[in-house]
Amino acid sequence: MSTTSSTNPDTRPPAAPEPEGAAEAGQRSVRLIRNEATTEIPVHLLFRDDLDPAPVAARPAVAGRRPGTGERPRTRRPTAARARPVPGVDPELAERPARVLPGAAGVAAGACGAAGCAVTSWWAGAVPPLASEALGLPAYTGSGLGPAQWAAYAAAGALALFGFGGLARGRTGRAWVLGLFGRYRGTVRRTGLMWVNPLLLRRRVDVRLRHWRSEPMPAADGNGVDLRAVTLVVWRVRDTARATLGVEDHETYLRECVEAALARVPVEPLGTVRSAADVAGETLTRLVAADTAPVGLEVFSVRPVRVEYAPEVAAEMHRRRIAALDAAQRASVLMSVVDSVEDTVTRLTMRGLVELDDHERKVLVKDLTVAFCAGRGETGA
């Protein structure tokens, strides 16, 4: 039959001749293909003629990346650096916007409450006839103040108080920290007329860029001499929740941080070494910014604007400075006199105006030195 002949394996078309060495390859172990990104894959899985291959246990295709493949390494997403925890400050405390409504909602609610009170008064007959005619209301004697009228009064009055009592005006550079029963409920940084829940406690915070000129604080120079430094701090409140609720008073905390930084950084009196003063200012800024960042303060600069010696050492250091300046001035004058004498003697000798032996040269040098020193003393040089 035709069906049997079609299925007979002897009637299949001749297969393509196998390449040389295929028999030997079949006797060897199965070849494997190795790749940096995959595991070992048998060759017979890639080149097979079976229509119904035997099931093969699945293995993970990707095992990992090896260095040196030329591929771009995977980079992790940068995570925000967490602020250093401070004792007594809730690490989860962070500023978030509070829920407020436009001021029109509060005005509308207050107006509705006031209108309800007026209608309730007319209903109770408490509105005089002349007032009813002026308001365009029909004359109504009313049924008196009963439980229903008092309930309507209470509801309308509460609505009016709740509507008008929640109106607030936001200003640029100011924020409100809201709290309810000791719990932080959000921060309001909006401007203009708005409605805030009147049950919430409001704390006003100044978020503008501010500068603070400190009082004279104790400091020391590189040699340990006591100084008094006045610093100018430029700062602002970055996180209102931590600045208000994290510490008792963030301005006092900032002052204490500046004083602690001055105790660690040596400063120099202004006017002596300017570069040292700049380095001290940069160091102070870095230290104070690191100390105040966990409580929501952002410090831009801490610069010493006046550095003086402490009263107990001011007189002695003043005498030392004067003595040092006097010695430097004397050395400068002496060097100038010596240069002038040398130049004069050299010119006289080189031009042949005088012929001097060693003794005469010493006498001439001595006389010229006395003359030049006396002349500079008279002129005040």
Side-chain angles (χ1 to χ4, degrees):
M1 296 177 68
S2 59
T3 57
T4 58
S5 61
S6 60
T7 59
N8 190 359
D10 298 334
T11 60
R12 293 181 181 177
E18 296 182 358
E20 185 178 359
E24 298 178 358
Q27 297 175 359
R28 298 177 183 176
S29 59
V30 180
R31 295 182 180 179
L32 301 177
I33 299 178
R34 300 179 181 270
N35 192 300
E36 295 86 353
T38 61
T39 56
E40 300 175 352
I41 304 176
V43 176
H44 73 274
L45 294 181
L46 301 178
F47 308 96
R48 61 178 183 269
D49 297 329
D50 299 338
L51 299 178
D52 298 325
V56 180
R59 299 180 62 183
V62 178
R65 302 288 180 182
R66 294 185 181 179
T69 59
E71 299 180 359
R72 186 177 179 181
R74 295 182 180 180
T75 57
R76 297 181 179 180
R77 295 182 179 179
T79 57
R82 295 185 178 180
R84 183 174 55 182
V86 177
V89 178
D90 186 4
E92 302 297 333
L93 184 63
E95 179 180 336
R96 60 177 183 271
R99 297 180 180 179
V100 296
L101 297 178
V107 173
C112 291
C117 291
V119 171
T120 304
S121 299
W122 173 80
W123 179 25
V127 180
L130 296 178
S132 300
E133 295 177 1
L135 296 175
L137 298 176
Y140 180 70
T141 56
S143 57
L145 293 175
Q149 286 77 11
W150 284 115
Y153 267 128
L159 181 61
L161 292 176
F162 207 74
F164 289 127
L167 293 177
R169 183 181 62 175
R171 298 181 180 180
T172 304
R174 302 293 180 89
W176 277 318
V177 177
L178 307 182
L180 180 62
F181 303 116
R183 184 180 179 183
Y184 174 64
R185 305 298 297 177
T187 300
V188 179
R189 288 181 178 261
R190 295 177 54 179
T191 58
L193 187 63
M194 68 189 76
W195 184 85
V196 184
N197 187 352
L199 300 179
L200 298 177
L201 178 63
R202 309 175 190 177
R203 298 183 182 181
R204 187 180 295 274
V205 181
D206 192 346
V207 295
R208 296 174 294 181
L209 186 66
R210 304 168 64 183
H211 69 277
W212 169 63
R213 187 184 181 94
S214 69
E215 66 277 0
M217 295 183 176
D221 60 3
N223 298 325
V225 180
D226 293 337
L227 300 174
R228 292 294 182 269
V230 177
T231 59
L232 182 65
V233 184
V234 181
W235 65 287
R236 71 174 179 180
V237 175
R238 179 176 51 86
D239 193 315
T240 57
R242 292 191 174 185
T244 305
L245 305 177
V247 290
E248 183 177 359
D249 187 358
H250 58 272
E251 294 184 2
T252 304
Y253 183 81
L254 175 63
R255 181 169 62 251
E256 298 296 335
C257 289
V258 172
E259 187 172 358
L262 281 174
R264 290 182 286 173
V265 178
V267 297
E268 297 293 338
L270 299 181
T272 55
V273 183
R274 194 63 187 175
S275 59
D278 295 338
V279 172
E282 295 176 359
T283 307
L284 287 173
T285 302
R286 184 174 64 256
L287 292 177
V288 176
D291 291 339
T292 57
V295 295
L297 302 183
E298 187 175 6
V299 177
F300 297 95
S301 67
V302 181
R303 298 291 178 183
V305 295
R306 192 179 67 192
V307 181
E308 299 176 348
Y309 289 104
E312 57 272 12
V313 298
E316 181 63 24
M317 297 306 298
H318 183 65
R319 285 194 296 269
R320 289 186 181 182
R321 285 189 68 182
I322 292 178
L325 292 176
D326 190 18
Q329 183 68 19
R330 287 177 181 274
S332 176
V333 170
L334 181 60
M335 184 63 66
S336 177
V337 169
V338 171
D339 292 341
S340 300
V341 171
E342 181 182 4
D343 185 59
T344 302
V345 174
T346 302
R347 289 186 179 185
L348 290 174
T349 306
M350 294 297 294
R351 294 182 181 183
L353 298 177
V354 294
E355 294 182 1
L356 304 173
D357 55 8
D358 292 341
H359 177 71
E360 292 175 347
R361 185 186 296 274
K362 293 180 181 179
V363 173
L364 180 59
V365 170
K366 179 179 179 181
D367 294 340
L368 289 176
T369 302
V370 173
F372 285 155
C373 289
R376 290 184 176 273
E378 293 177 359
T379 58

